[in-house]
Amino acid sequence: MINRVIFIFTLFFCGVSLLAQDESQFPIRITDVLVFGNERTREEVILREIPFDFPAELDMEDLQVIQNRLQNLLLFNRVELGILGEPESYILTIQVTEFFYIYPVPLLFINDRDWGKVSYGFSLTHANFRGLNEKLTVGGWLGYNPAFFLRYHNPWLGKKSRFILGFSMGARKVQNKLSSVADSDSIFNESHLGTGFTLGRRLTLHTSIQANFYFQRIAFPEPRKHETVSGTGVDLIPKVGFHYLIDHRDVITYPRKGYMALWSVTRAGFTSRQPNFWRFNFDHRLYFKLTDRISIGGRNLLKVNHVLNNGGELPTYDRIFIGFLDRIRGYFNRTFPEDNLPANNIMMQFVEARIDLVPIRYFTWKDAPFLGEFFKQLKYGLSLGLFADTGIAWHKSEEFGLKRFFTGFGAGLHFHVPYAQILRLDYAINDRGKGELIFEVGVVF
């Protein structure tokens, strides 16, 4: 350790070249990598995200890729790169700013992107279990859809095998979405109990495959038992799913460049007394950086279901809608299909231009009265978003048509903040001329 410190000081006094240097000096030859600031995170978690074998010649774009990949781990407030040494023997330095990874978290959040559906509770989270980027969480909440849960996720198991492993279990009361859509006086709660297991593999640093195994027990109250597929008031539902992910986005919390494609297929149920259907999801996203401060992106989302029993309709608790998680700005508080109608399919498109008004910067509260690590290298910034959203929900093919699309467009301010990443204040106008103000956490796509 002492030798390493002496070596670093020697490099500094012999001459330091930072990433801010003239881009014309690139490409440069990097012979080694040194990591600093990772008191809890194991060095292998950082090094395995670097898509180069050293020594290697890198240009500025390559260094930006490394920085983005490390920032996308969501383990650090900030990632800074530097270059030390002299030509033919440059060393890449990586300085990370960590925060507390194990902490009790008061829970206060909205459901279905609806501020009228608030949940509150408590969880204990380890966001970097064993220093290996494993996530372990136990907790629960009251209020809307009360629940208890336990989750574990390991995104990289085995140095070379690169397996993905996950486990979850939980119980919750869920307000039936169909009665909510109908705005009826007979809204009721479903009792959900489930456990799941995930096994996958990272094929490359940008692609992965994953198999999900899930088992649910869903119970309706006695007056509603006839609405379950089994007719007994309790449905037992095994689900098996597979998905394939390609992710070349630059920064996942606010993408400006790159693309992502997620394809998944799920089979639910295998007997006539179980919900029995296939579900296909296709999510495609593409981003272009027009200038250093202006980018434009688009997303296409398609969900298609093929039901094998139950009269060709999905069970009420598995129906899909536009208007809960996936919403159209301009129709933010509307749900499609309306009037309690079934829909087995939805398609949505989003386009958004993102313009930096205040580029992302960082500050540290040096005199914080407690938990000083929470206040190091906190980011802030401001962007302008110009957007258009559209979508359609349909059951039968003859219901699909341009006249049945619902569309909204508008503009918003995107506040880059620590921990929450993005706070958005959008104003949208729909194709019927009605406007609405929307406040949300997180980027739309």
Side-chain angles (χ1 to χ4, degrees):
M1 180 64 183
I2 295 177
N3 290 337
R4 183 173 178 177
V5 172
I6 295 174
F7 176 64
I8 295 302
F9 272 97
T10 301
L11 286 175
F12 268 104
F13 284 109
C14 289
V16 177
S17 178
L18 300 177
L19 293 183
Q21 64 185 316
D22 186 356
E23 190 171 350
S24 64
Q25 299 179 25
F26 288 84
I28 60 176
R29 187 173 186 270
I30 302 294
T31 59
D32 201 358
V33 179
L34 293 177
V35 181
F36 303 94
N38 57 318
E39 296 179 8
R40 299 175 181 85
T41 306
R42 296 192 192 183
E43 190 172 274
E44 64 186 86
V45 172
I46 297 171
L47 296 180
R48 70 193 185 190
E49 292 294 329
I50 299 177
F52 304 101
D53 294 321
F54 298 102
E57 286 197 355
L58 304 183
D59 55 28
M60 283 290 286
E61 186 174 349
D62 295 328
L63 296 174
Q64 187 63 59
V65 167
I66 294 173
Q67 186 173 34
N68 289 343
R69 290 196 61 82
L70 299 181
Q71 202 71 57
N72 285 341
L73 290 173
L74 304 181
L75 294 176
F76 314 113
N77 282 343
R78 187 178 187 181
V79 177
E80 300 172 271
L81 302 188
I83 296 175
L84 302 177
E86 299 178 352
E88 303 303 322
S89 61
Y90 283 126
I91 292 177
L92 175 65
T93 65
I94 301 174
Q95 175 74 42
V96 298
T97 302
E98 296 183 318
F99 48 84
F100 283 115
Y101 293 120
I102 181 168
Y103 43 85
V105 179
L107 297 178
L108 181 64
F109 59 93
I110 63 172
N111 295 268
D112 300 328
R113 297 167 68 179
D114 184 345
W115 287 95
K117 300 177 180 179
V118 178
S119 299
Y120 52 90
F122 180 86
S123 73
L124 183 63
T125 298
H126 200 316
N128 194 9
F129 186 56
R130 300 193 302 160
L132 290 172
N133 193 23
E134 300 170 64
K135 305 291 189 293
L136 180 63
T137 304
V138 59
W141 61 82
L142 301 174
Y144 187 81
N145 289 351
F148 166 80
F149 62 89
L150 171 66
R151 302 181 190 131
Y152 168 80
H153 181 72
N154 187 338
W156 193 311
L157 179 64
K159 293 183 179 181
K160 295 185 178 180
S161 53
R162 298 185 294 194
F163 286 115
I164 300 168
L165 184 66
F167 171 79
S168 65
M169 62 178 297
R172 65 188 305 191
K173 295 286 186 179
V174 178
Q175 180 179 293
N176 180 270
K177 286 188 176 182
L178 201 59
S179 58
S180 175
V181 170
D183 195 26
S184 69
D185 295 328
S186 56
I187 292 176
F188 67 96
N189 287 329
E190 308 162 1
S191 296
H192 288 216
L193 181 65
T195 183
F197 177 74
T198 296
L199 180 63
R201 188 172 186 273
R202 297 180 68 163
L203 303 178
T204 71
L205 291 179
H206 299 283
T207 61
S208 65
I209 56 174
Q210 192 168 297
N212 303 303
F213 307 92
Y214 197 69
F215 185 82
Q216 281 181 297
R217 180 188 183 274
I218 298 179
F220 282 19
E222 181 68 22
R224 295 278 187 164
K225 69 178 185 178
H226 63 281
E227 297 182 23
T228 59
V229 175
S230 66
T232 66
V234 176
D235 283 344
L236 303 177
I237 313 155
K239 292 183 179 180
V240 179
F242 299 91
H243 82 225
Y244 178 68
L245 173 67
I246 306 172
D247 195 347
H248 283 267
R249 293 173 294 175
D250 54 355
V251 179
I252 60 176
T253 53
Y254 200 74
R256 308 291 188 87
K257 182 180 179 181
Y259 61 91
M260 188 207 82
L262 175 62
W263 308 324
S264 67
V265 56
T266 301
R267 173 62 186 263
F270 299 94
T271 72
S272 60
R273 295 179 64 81
Q274 298 171 341
N276 202 323
F277 60 89
W278 289 92
R279 173 166 292 170
F280 303 90
N281 290 351
F282 305 94
D283 189 350
H284 299 94
R285 310 180 189 192
L286 182 63
Y287 311 87
F288 296 98
K289 204 164 188 180
L290 305 179
T291 70
D292 287 342
R293 291 199 173 192
I294 302 175
S295 63
I296 188 168
R299 180 191 183 194
N300 178 266
L301 174 66
L302 176 65
K303 297 183 180 181
V304 178
N305 293 274
H306 177 57
V307 185
L308 303 176
N309 64 354
N310 200 36
E313 294 184 6
L314 292 167
T316 59
Y317 47 78
D318 256 320
R319 288 194 181 176
I320 57 175
F321 300 90
I322 295 175
F324 287 98
L325 181 61
D326 301 303
R327 299 192 179 218
I328 298 170
R329 287 170 288 185
Y331 291 96
F332 197 79
N333 295 313
R334 293 275 296 277
T335 303
F336 308 102
E338 299 178 297
D339 302 323
N340 207 10
L341 296 174
N344 286 352
N345 318 289
I346 65 171
M347 183 169 68
M348 303 180 72
Q349 287 86 29
F350 308 85
V351 177
E352 185 168 275
R354 294 166 183 166
I355 305 167
D356 287 344
L357 300 180
V358 179
I360 291 178
R361 298 186 176 98
Y362 295 85
F363 73 94
T364 296
W365 186 10
K366 296 181 180 179
D367 299 322
F370 62 92
L371 298 179
E373 289 190 60
F374 273 110
F375 304 100
K376 291 182 179 179
Q377 297 290 353
L378 303 180
K379 72 175 180 180
Y380 66 96
L382 178 64
S383 299
L384 171 68
L386 307 174
F387 60 85
D389 304 344
T390 188
I392 183 175
W394 76 98
H395 183 58
K396 299 179 180 179
S397 58
E398 55 266 27
E399 297 173 357
F400 187 90
L402 290 177
K403 293 183 179 180
R404 299 191 72 250
F405 276 82
F406 293 85
T407 303
F409 57 91
L413 293 175
H414 302 171
F415 299 89
H416 301 262
V417 297
Y419 301 112
Q421 305 296 343
I422 300 293
L423 298 180
R424 289 188 297 106
L425 185 63
D426 293 334
Y427 184 78
I429 301 175
N430 64 32
D431 48 15
R432 299 180 183 179
K434 185 177 179 180
E436 60 184 3
L437 190 65
I438 304 164
F439 178 71
E440 276 204 294
V441 178
V443 67
V444 173
F445 68 93

